[in-house]
Amino acid sequence: MKEITILSGKGGTGKTSVTAAIGAVAENAIFCDNDVDAADLHLIYHPTIDETYTFTSGLKATINPEECTRCNICVEYCRFQAIQINKNQNLMIDPFKCEGCRLCERVCPSGAIQTEENNNNYWFVSSTRFGKMVHAKMGPGEENSGKLVTQVRKRAKELAKELKSEYIINDGPPGIGCATIASLSGTNQVLIVTEPTKSGLHDVTRLVELIQSFNIPAYAVINKFDINKAVAKQIGEYFKKHYIEVLAELPFDKNMVESMTKGQTIIEYDKNSDISKKITEVWNILNK
């Protein structure tokens, strides 16, 4: 079993579009959307949810107004300014500012504050037209995205063993944060999708540094290379310097945009397009 993680240094490079297209040509694969903060692979794959699970991400505090004496000790001790006065002149805790440290609960003399597990996140096992998919949905402002990535990847590996799948294809998150690190750990191969912009070049250098710290073999695709060939050349030279092979330079194509609006991969929408042929070639190299 081979696990391939597709990453980008920034959002908007076309990473998920490329991932979805690779899934259309890959066979006997499990798909895993590791971009749990802003998952979007499901918009193309239209999964039918078979299993739903709750994911706990930290603690949140609440104040019982009937027991609160308004001594304001909790306000004084809260360093996150999460405790405020509502329109009824009662103390309340802003769930988006609360870090779940439980200090307010400990200092409250009347025992009016309680902390509870936060269960505003879910992960799913689904069926798609290309095979099984594991994905997730986090609530706004939730934490522990890295742990959720680890959970969905764990289930994807279990499914791959159960179904005897040859590949796990991960649609990773953009950037170099906690979720990206959780996506990289233990993967066999990385495909970087970038774009020919100054920000694309800047952010991909940070991503390459992170990938190479894990000693994971990496390849690259430069998407929309023809919108700025000068920067595309710079990016290509950067990859060459760091021994990363560029497998394809994909042109900007309105058919790619059109396929997305129809909820299809470019392979399904126009299998004879230049992009479809190049993505097929990319997959043929990755699965060797």
Side-chain angles (χ1 to χ4, degrees), residues 1-5 22 25-31 130-132 156-170 186-189 283-284 286-288:
M1 181 179 61
K2 186 176 184 179
E3 188 172 9
I4 302 169
T5 299
I22 286 176
V25 295
E27 297 180 355
N28 198 17
I30 299 292
F31 304 96
F130 302 123
K132 287 288 187 178
K157 289 179 181 178
E158 292 171 351
L159 277 175
K161 290 179 181 178
E162 292 169 13
L163 301 175
K164 297 182 180 179
S165 301
E166 294 183 65
Y167 305 98
I168 297 174
I169 299 176
N170 297 318
T187 197
N188 302 113
Q189 199 174 67
W283 173 247
N284 290 336
L286 291 177
N287 68 11
K288 286 182 179 178

Side-chain angles (χ1 to χ4, degrees), residues 92-161:
M92 61 166 286
I93 298 177
D94 185 339
F96 294 106
K97 291 184 178 181
C98 178
E99 293 291 326
C101 69
R102 304 186 70 175
L103 179 60
C104 58
E105 181 183 18
R106 291 194 291 270
V107 301
C108 179
S110 59
I113 302 178
Q114 293 182 334
T115 52
E116 299 176 347
E117 290 184 340
N118 198 26
N119 297 316
N120 192 27
N121 312 283
Y122 304 91
W123 62 278
F124 316 95
V125 178
S126 299
S127 299
T128 76
R129 61 192 182 278
F130 302 123
K132 287 288 187 178
M133 174 178 168
V134 187
H135 52 119
K137 179 181 180 182
M138 294 195 79
E142 297 299 335
E143 58 186 34
N144 290 338
S145 60
K147 290 184 178 180
L148 183 52
V149 169
T150 299
Q151 178 62 61
V152 296
R153 285 186 62 201
K154 177 183 176 183
R155 183 58 181 136
K157 289 179 181 178
E158 292 171 351
L159 277 175
K161 290 179 181 178

Side-chain angles (χ1 to χ4, degrees), residues 50 65 78:
D50 301 319
C78 181

